[in-house]
Amino acid sequence: MDSSESKLRRRRQPKSADRPADAADAPKLEPAAAKVPITFDTADRIIALVLTVLALFTRLYQIGRHPVVTWDETYFGRFGAHYINGTLYSDLHPTLAKMLIGLGEYLSGHNGTFTYASGSVYPDYVNYVFQRSFVAVIGALIVPFAYRTCRFLGFGRPAATMAAAFVLFDNALCVMSRFILLDPILFCFTAMSLLGYSGFAGHQHQPFSAAWWRWLVFTGVSLGCVISSKWIGAFSVSLVGLCTVEELANMYRGGMSVRAQLKHWGARIICLICLPLLVYLLSFQLHFTLLNRRGTGDYKMPSQFQALQRNNIIAHQPHDVAVGSQITLRSHMPGVGLIHANATNRFPDNADELVAAGMPGKQANNWWQVALGMPTKGNDTPPIRFIADGDYIR
């Protein structure tokens, strides 16, 4: 035993020259990014297709069973109708998701006259099933997007399928996707942003290749869409921004040449800053192009904007205030609104004088007509007389 143990102790590993050729010539391990499964083969496509069909089933099954305006459908359904009749409205959210809802209503044949009052039954001329289904299909896309994102992050097929199944059977996502809401559209664009950046990160070992540029541009467009749908989409922009800062910092610490770093900086500035900003501005440009008629939200816009509306009173009178112009007066105090008066609200000691007060929103009693306080002498009054400093008007 002693002699055998000593032989074992003296035994050494063969040198590299003595090893088999296949072991000596084995390639070195590539970086982790290169091992990420970039290709999407037939098995992945089949899994994604099955997940998509299941997502559509869970979102569309008996979607028209409740024919009543439910929850925030009263807001976003009405906002979508504004894009059909072209009347301007005011809302705190950006415009893209609401324009997509309007597109779904337009494709359903809606004429824009239904007011979507909360709790009211949908009339026969409103195809609410199609409108809900349009939003539900958009919301269902997050399931295959989740699967593809997980594959880019290095998950195996079983793990990626399980992660997508969590999204597929999430009760909150299923419920919200079955109504005319902004959230399913927001979730879809958020999933697109994560998918785009994970695909871009999966091609880091191929910088400036066609696939690298394709995923970078896709990420920028997705970020523009998510921030143009709801302000909470800024969190997606922040996430991609922080990851980008970390990438660029690693390039600096890794000793990359200044010229190469500038190229990476320029590509990201164009695609991840300028491109989302362009999508955001174009969504508002389209918004104001479609809403070219006077509506409930024009009182918050300046007179120069109101003059461009088709059926606005300001569009048919001089740009500057003149005698006979119809105007609205706003209080200098914030939050008061427009000066309002009506025939029933008068001073108790003088029935000929009206009480004026600030009222939020624009109504018929917000309009005032400018008249000269003193009659003019003779017939030398020009056809259009603009109000000048020192004029007494009433």
Side-chain angles (χ1 to χ4, degrees):
M1 293 294 294
D2 296 337
S3 60
S4 62
E5 289 180 359
S6 61
K7 291 180 180 179
L8 289 174
R9 282 195 297 268
R10 289 194 300 268
R11 185 176 296 169
R12 59 183 178 82
Q13 295 295 329
K15 296 181 180 180
S16 59
D18 301 331
R19 294 178 187 175
D22 56 347
D25 299 336
K28 296 181 179 180
L29 292 178
E30 296 292 332
K35 297 191 295 181
V36 175
I38 296 176
T39 60
F40 206 58
D41 56 20
T42 303
D44 289 313
R45 293 188 179 92
I46 293 175
I47 294 174
L49 178 60
V50 172
L51 289 171
T52 304
V53 172
L54 292 175
L56 292 173
F57 176 77
T58 56
R59 271 71 175 172
L60 296 175
Y61 178 70
Q62 292 188 353
I63 197 171
R65 184 176 180 179
H66 189 61
V68 177
V69 179
T70 306
W71 199 15
D72 281 352
E73 285 184 334
T74 183
Y75 301 111
F76 304 123
R78 184 169 64 249
F79 292 155
H82 280 290
Y83 292 101
I84 298 177
N85 53 46
T87 56
L88 184 67
Y89 69 92
S90 177
D91 183 52
L92 58 92
H93 296 297
T95 62
L96 181 58
K98 291 175 289 188
M99 284 193 291
L100 288 174
I101 291 177
L103 175 62
E105 295 182 10
Y106 174 78
L107 295 176
S108 70
H110 184 37
N111 56 13
T113 58
F114 184 58
T115 59
Y116 291 85
S118 180
S120 61
V121 178
Y122 283 103
D124 294 336
Y125 66 89
V126 177
N127 189 356
Y128 70 96
V129 175
F130 183 91
Q131 297 175 18
R132 288 178 176 175
S133 300
F134 183 83
V135 177
V137 170
I138 297 177
L141 294 177
I142 65 175
V143 178
F145 288 166
Y147 176 80
R148 188 66 179 107
T149 300
C150 290
R151 292 291 283 151
F152 268 129
L153 295 177
F155 287 40
R157 290 194 185 95
T161 303
M162 183 175 66
F166 290 155
V167 179
L168 169 64
F169 296 112
D170 186 276
N171 188 56
L173 293 177
C174 289
V175 171
M176 284 190 291
S177 297
R178 295 170 64 85
F179 296 99
I180 307 173
L181 304 175
L182 300 184
D183 301 273
I185 303 174
L186 172 71
F187 295 153
C188 178
F189 289 143
T190 301
M192 286 174 56
S193 301
L194 297 178
L195 171 62
Y197 191 77
S198 64
F200 171 69
H203 289 81
Q204 287 301 318
H205 62 292
Q206 300 172 342
F208 305 104
S209 62
W212 187 89
W213 277 109
R214 184 166 58 248
W215 283 108
L216 183 60
V217 172
F218 181 82
T219 304
V221 173
S222 301
L223 291 176
C225 291
V226 73
I227 195 63
S228 300
S229 299
K230 247 184 172 182
W231 290 118
I232 199 172
F235 286 102
S236 298
V237 178
S238 301
L239 175 62
V240 174
L242 291 175
C243 293
T244 303
V245 170
E246 183 183 13
E247 270 190 289
L248 296 174
N250 290 335
M251 293 178 189
Y252 176 77
R253 290 194 296 263
M256 182 180 291
S257 65
V258 176
R259 181 176 181 180
Q261 290 186 59
L262 290 177
K263 290 175 63 177
H264 281 279
W265 273 83
R268 286 161 174 79
I269 290 174
I270 293 173
C271 295
L272 300 181
I273 297 179
C274 298
L275 190 55
L277 181 60
L278 179 62
V279 173
Y280 183 82
L281 295 177
L282 288 177
S283 67
F284 271 94
Q285 174 66 35
L286 181 59
H287 167 80
F288 288 118
T289 301
L290 295 174
L291 304 182
N292 53 15
R293 296 180 180 274
R294 179 185 174 190
T296 57
D298 62 320
Y299 75 97
K300 294 185 178 181
M301 305 303 292
S303 300
Q304 292 86 345
F305 176 85
Q306 297 182 42
L308 301 176
Q309 294 177 305
R310 290 184 179 180
N311 59 339
N312 200 303
I313 299 175
I314 301 178
H316 304 286
Q317 61 186 21
H319 183 271
D320 296 322
V321 178
V323 177
S325 294
Q326 297 189 50
I327 63 173
T328 56
L329 301 173
R330 187 181 299 276
S331 172
H332 70 283
M333 300 179 64
V336 176
L338 300 175
I339 304 301
H340 172 93
N342 56 61
T344 61
N345 192 9
R346 298 175 180 270
F347 286 97
D349 55 346
N350 190 348
D352 295 332
E353 295 183 358
L354 301 178
V355 175
M359 296 288 290
K362 178 171 285 189
Q363 305 173 16
N365 294 328
N366 294 135
W367 287 101
W368 301 81
Q369 188 170 23
V370 178
L372 288 176
M374 300 297 292
T376 57
K377 296 181 180 180
N379 297 324
D380 56 350
T381 303
I384 298 178
R385 176 176 174 177
F386 295 101
I387 301 302
D389 186 24
D391 283 346
Y392 180 73
I393 63 174
R394 56 186 174 91

